[in-house]
Amino acid sequence: MSINDEDRAARKVAHEIGCDLSLLSVDELALRVELLKAEIARLEEEKARKGASRSAAEKLFR
């Protein structure tokens, strides 16, 4: 196995915003949709967590 093969095997499926979608299969598009949904959920959870921390800090300093 060459170094390039190892690099390819280690790469995760990713999506670049605005990339050309025309060469992707329906299955690849579905995978990307699920990937983005999971990322949105992760972002929403972090936003909620930070919002709760901010709210607690504001109450403390009032």
Side-chain angles (χ1 to χ4, degrees), residues 2-50:
S2 73
I3 293 173
N4 290 338
D5 291 337
E6 290 174 9
D7 289 343
R8 268 186 245 145
R11 281 183 51 198
K12 285 185 168 182
V13 174
H15 179 75
E16 182 179 328
I17 304 298
C19 69
D20 181 15
L21 304 175
S22 65
L23 298 176
L24 298 175
S25 69
V26 172
D27 290 339
E28 289 171 320
L29 290 168
L31 285 172
R32 294 209 183 180
V33 167
E34 291 306 313
L35 174 75
L36 291 169
K37 284 180 180 179
E39 183 64 6
I40 288 168
R42 189 177 77 90
L43 290 165
E44 291 289 351
E45 290 170 6
E46 183 67 12
K47 183 177 119 181
R49 188 185 67 75
K50 287 188 177 194

